[in-house]
Amino acid sequence: MKRALSGRVAVVTGASSGIGEAIARALAAGGARVGLIARRADRLDEIAASLGAKGHVARPFVADVRDRNSLTEVAGAVSGELGRVDCLVNNAGMMLLSRVEERSFEEWRTMIETNLVGAVETTTAFIDQLTDGGGDVVNISSSAGGRARPASSMYSATKAALNAWADGLRQEVADRGVRVIVVKPGAVHSELVEHISDEELREKARDTRQRVRALDAEDIARVVTFAVTQPEHMSVSELLVRPT
Ligand code: NDP
């Protein structure tokens, strides 16, 4: 029997734009009560209000996934307002492309702290709720985690490390009914590339998305919905999704 979304409580990090927003909208439309996590309060408020206007339940929770204390607070606040979280989507991420000679130490550190440590610490903040009855941890990785390119070396490293961590986690928590799912998208239209500080690399990333007819955020949301609604005995552990 499929695991329905109605009656479930989901939390999505990086829900203020792009893939995270689309996932949050899809899970809420399916009947889950959804906690939206990101730093931009105005965006979260708008998304929660637009979902509320459609009769769905979504609440904004402002937090930075690099701040362990704020994650602990949010984990308590979500369960207090919405109930036990049984679906966590680790989606918050940054792709700050740069070549080694640029010495972008701060950007490399930001990606490690957001894409890898952020996902690990968010999961840790919610792990007791997830194991207390089972659920899903979805990690939005990237096709870049399996194949690095020039200037994506550190971004790819964070996603490859996320994949390895998720594979270990999957085996640690399976006996408590928690499924760990890794989704690896190729190019998707979103704000991701707009944060690249190197103008040439930013323009190139934009061009690639036009040239290959990048995926839409909603395409990834459909894949996540598919994975988390499979019957409890079935774990969709990894999904690689590319533009055709
Ligand atoms: P966006 O830039 O649109 O979304 C990124 C989200 O992450 C935003 O909601 C942002 O919210 C949030 N975020 C960033 N840093 C933090 C932080 N420190 N704490 C909390 N939230 C944070 O890009 P996408 O939707 O494309 O990216 C989502 C995920 O998908 C990322 O992990 C990315 O690596 C992955 N991905 C994207 C691909 C693409 O081509 N677009 C391809 C493969 C994977 P705020 O700024 O409000 O905090």
Side-chain angles (χ1 to χ4, degrees), residues 83-228:
R84 178 185 80 86
V85 170
D86 63 10
C87 179
L88 168 65
V89 183
N90 287 315
N91 163 79
M94 302 284 280
M95 183 182 73
L96 307 170
L97 304 184
S98 68
R99 291 172 184 271
V100 67
E101 291 96 333
E102 288 176 41
R103 295 176 168 75
S104 311
F105 298 111
E106 285 308 314
E107 294 194 343
W108 297 335
R109 195 169 290 273
T110 297
M111 287 194 288
I112 294 166
E113 289 177 356
T114 308
N115 303 358
L116 175 62
V117 182
V120 171
E121 296 206 351
T122 306
T123 304
T124 309
F126 286 97
I127 197 67
D128 292 344
Q129 297 185 48
L130 289 158
T131 53
D132 182 20
D136 294 302
V137 179
V138 181
N139 298 288
I140 305 301
S141 180
S142 172
S143 59
R147 186 176 179 199
R149 291 174 190 275
S152 88
S153 42
M154 184 54 83
Y155 177 68
S156 292
T158 64
K159 295 298 189 178
L162 179 67
N163 297 346
W165 170 77
D167 194 37
L169 177 74
R170 177 178 61 76
Q171 298 166 69
E172 287 174 28
V173 296
D175 63 349
R176 260 74 57 74
V178 179
R179 304 183 293 197
V180 178
I181 297 157
V182 177
V183 177
K184 304 170 179 176
V188 179
H189 288 296
S190 76
E191 295 173 14
L192 194 73
V193 299
E194 304 308 323
H195 302 289
I196 300 170
S197 57
D198 183 305
E199 211 173 302
E200 203 182 317
L201 292 172
R202 188 169 64 241
E203 202 48 53
K204 205 172 152 200
R206 281 187 190 135
D207 283 352
T208 303
R209 277 158 181 71
Q210 293 306 326
R211 192 168 39 78
V212 304
R213 183 12 181 138
L215 299 163
D216 298 318
E218 290 72 21
D219 297 326
I220 306 305
R222 263 195 331 278
V223 165
V224 170
T225 304
F226 165 80
V228 302

